[in-house]
Amino acid sequence: MAFQCQRDCYMKEFVTSVVSCCPAELKQEVNGKKETIKGFHIKLQDTILFPEGGGQPDDHGFLGDVPVLRVTRQGPDALHFVASPLEVGQEVHVKVDWERRFDHMQQHSGQHLITALADTMFGYKTTSWELGRQRSTIELDTPCVKPGQLQELEECVNEKIRAHIPVMVQLLSIDDPAVRSRGLPEDHAGPIRIIDIEGIDANMCCGTHVSNLGHLQVIKLLGTEKGKKNKTNLIFLTGKRVLKYAEKSYNTERSLVSLLKTGPDEHVEAVDKLQKSVKLLQKVSMSITKRCSCSSCRKEGDNEFMNIIANEINTEETLVFLTVGEEKGPGLFLLAGPSELVTEMGPQVLELLQGKGAGKNGRFQGKANSLARRGEVEALLKQRCNQRNSQEE
């Protein structure tokens, strides 16, 4: 079997014949569960479907109208896993899943470019890489990459893309003096494949690649994460994945604008405020008993913050007293609860806090010149709630 895309990775269809067909099993993860599928391994005279290897996943496609679910390498042969058998000697039309193939070409060539320039510019060697379903990762042999270096690297790789630099494939004999044999699989057979990005990098690789850096379209370096053994994982997207990421990010942004009622630049602040509200609400709710009062004091917050908390509590039966500000300094306050109780107690709270405010519809809020007597307000409200509960009983 010869992989017919050794030189031309843009070949999408091919006609060949079946050499062998043997029963086989394929283990797959479906909806988080591992399943074993029974099928057949098909060997072809030649193929254009890439078997997984070199950090790159396999191609998918069709043999006639039969889907190819997995392609693996066995020495010089490619095994095509299919669900139904094919006759030995049968002529088949091989068709590659082009969207998947071209995506892998973009990510893999992008990795070669990033790896080469990270080494040239900063001396960071690549020790491994992974082509993921949504994003890819390069493991760099450095404990960290500075933000300025990341930006400089991204600008440089995209400059090379805009320069439309050719990417060529060389096929060398394993005996060729130019071949570096280290790292070849023990069962390697056939010529050695060199991917040459003109003037930038020349590396052994069995994977599929673009023929020109311009076909990468764009590369986005998303950031870095701490890797294993004092190394750094560089996360990147290439080509169409960048467009998909931008579309997904925009749709998420629109959803957040609708939910948070704020502009994109204020989303982080709004979510932070909500998280603080939820934490406070959890604490407050634990202290609430039916027809009783509850109170809470925080240094940070505003009227909106206090109203969010009050909205989550059944103030028709519970008297809620909230303040934000320094313990003995000025601040804001909110009294919420049964309307008649709030109307009665609001002015007394205002007097104790030396503040200004007003109330309606079961809410009384305002500014306090001093929260020093907050404890007295809590005691007063608790006493009044107890009296009210006793009268109702």
Side-chain angles (χ1 to χ4, degrees):
M1 184 281 301
F3 176 51
Q4 292 298 315
C5 291
Q6 293 253 42
R7 288 191 180 277
D8 184 8
C9 295
Y10 290 80
M11 191 179 294
K12 301 177 183 179
E13 298 184 31
F14 186 72
V15 176
T16 186
S17 58
V18 177
V19 173
S20 68
C21 175
C22 301
E25 292 183 346
L26 174 64
K27 293 182 179 180
Q28 280 190 328
E29 190 171 300
V30 180
N31 297 326
K33 294 182 180 180
K34 293 183 179 180
E35 295 183 357
T36 300
I37 303 173
K38 293 186 180 295
F40 301 86
H41 272 153
I42 306 295
K43 287 184 186 180
L44 302 175
Q45 186 67 39
D46 301 288
T47 189
I48 58 171
L49 299 184
F50 175 74
E52 59 185 358
Q56 178 178 324
D58 58 337
D59 281 337
H60 290 173
F62 291 87
L63 301 183
D65 58 357
V66 179
V68 177
L69 305 179
R70 179 72 57 81
V71 187
T72 54
R73 189 174 65 86
Q74 188 180 69
D77 298 319
L79 302 179
H80 307 71
F81 184 88
V82 295
S84 54
L86 297 175
E87 292 184 13
V88 174
Q90 175 183 346
E91 188 177 86
V92 290
H93 183 187
V94 184
K95 185 176 181 180
V96 68
D97 178 342
W98 178 246
E99 184 173 356
R100 177 182 172 92
R101 157 71 70 79
F102 190 62
D103 172 56
H104 290 173
M105 289 165 62
Q106 287 187 319
Q107 308 316 310
H108 204 157
S109 296
Q111 177 265 314
H112 276 230
L113 178 60
I114 296 168
T115 287
L117 293 179
D119 187 10
T120 302
M121 296 170 67
F122 309 114
Y124 298 155
K125 304 290 184 183
T126 291
T127 49
S128 67
W129 88 290
E130 179 186 7
L131 199 168
R133 291 183 180 181
Q134 296 183 332
R135 63 183 194 175
S136 299
T137 305
I138 297 173
E139 184 183 71
L140 297 175
D141 192 11
T142 178
C144 68
V145 176
K146 297 177 182 178
Q149 292 177 325
L150 198 66
Q151 182 178 350
E152 188 178 347
L153 179 59
E154 181 177 278
E155 290 174 355
C156 189
V157 295
N158 283 291
E159 180 184 322
K160 301 300 182 186
I161 291 172
R162 291 191 295 272
H164 291 81
I165 295 172
V167 179
M168 297 164 288
V169 177
Q170 300 179 47
L171 297 179
L172 303 178
S173 166
I174 196 168
D175 299 322
D176 193 299
V179 171
R180 297 164 293 168
S181 59
R182 188 179 69 175
L184 288 175
E186 293 181 3
D187 60 350
H188 176 82
I192 305 300
R193 196 160 172 268
I194 306 295
I195 303 301
D196 187 351
I197 304 177
E198 191 177 271
I200 297 176
D201 181 59
N203 238 306
M204 287 189 303
C205 183
C206 63
T208 56
H209 290 269
V210 298
S211 60
N212 190 292
L213 290 186
H215 297 177
L216 299 182
Q217 297 174 287
V218 65
I219 287 178
K220 177 60 187 174
L221 305 183
L222 295 178
T224 60
E225 295 176 351
K226 186 176 181 181
K228 299 177 181 178
K229 298 180 180 179
N230 215 29
K231 296 179 181 179
T232 298
N233 294 328
L234 173 61
I235 305 159
F236 73 96
L237 303 172
T238 306
K240 193 173 181 179
R241 292 194 181 192
V242 178
L243 302 180
K244 288 182 178 180
Y245 183 82
E247 181 181 12
K248 184 178 179 181
S249 297
Y250 177 67
N251 289 335
T252 300
E253 181 180 283
R254 289 182 62 189
S255 297
L256 288 174
V257 167
S258 176
L259 290 169
L260 300 174
K261 310 301 181 186
T262 63
D265 294 340
E266 300 166 336
H267 285 169
V268 173
E269 182 182 350
V271 171
D272 181 59
K273 186 182 294 184
L274 281 174
Q275 287 181 326
K276 290 177 180 177
S277 299
V278 170
K279 289 179 181 179
L280 178 58
L281 180 60
Q282 290 172 340
K283 291 180 181 179
V284 170
S285 62
M286 291 178 65
S287 66
I288 296 177
T289 56
K290 190 174 182 181
R291 296 192 176 121
C292 187
S293 65
C294 71
S295 65
S296 179
C297 178
R298 288 184 62 86
K299 290 183 179 180
E300 299 177 354
D302 54 20
N303 283 322
E304 181 184 2
F305 174 79
M306 292 188 295
N307 277 289
I308 289 173
I309 299 297
N311 288 339
E312 297 299 321
I313 298 173
N314 182 12
T315 54
E316 291 183 3
E317 295 183 338
T318 304
L319 188 63
V320 179
F321 175 56
L322 303 172
T323 62
V324 291
E326 294 293 335
E327 186 177 352
K328 295 184 179 180
L332 303 172
F333 73 90
L334 169 66
L335 182 66
S339 295
E340 71 280 3
L341 202 55
V342 171
T343 301
E344 174 191 343
M345 302 304 298
Q348 298 180 54
V349 171
L350 200 63
E351 183 179 352
L352 287 171
L353 298 181
Q354 302 173 23
K356 294 181 180 180
K360 64 178 180 178
N361 300 326
R363 301 224 172 166
F364 196 105
Q365 62 188 87
K367 293 182 179 180
N369 289 325
S370 174
L371 295 174
R373 301 181 70 181
R374 186 180 189 284
E376 294 181 44
V377 174
E378 290 181 356
L380 177 66
L381 295 175
K382 188 174 182 180
Q383 181 183 20
R384 182 63 186 88
C385 282
N386 289 337
Q387 290 176 353
R388 184 170 183 263
N389 291 339
S390 298
Q391 292 171 359
E392 291 183 355
E393 292 174 0

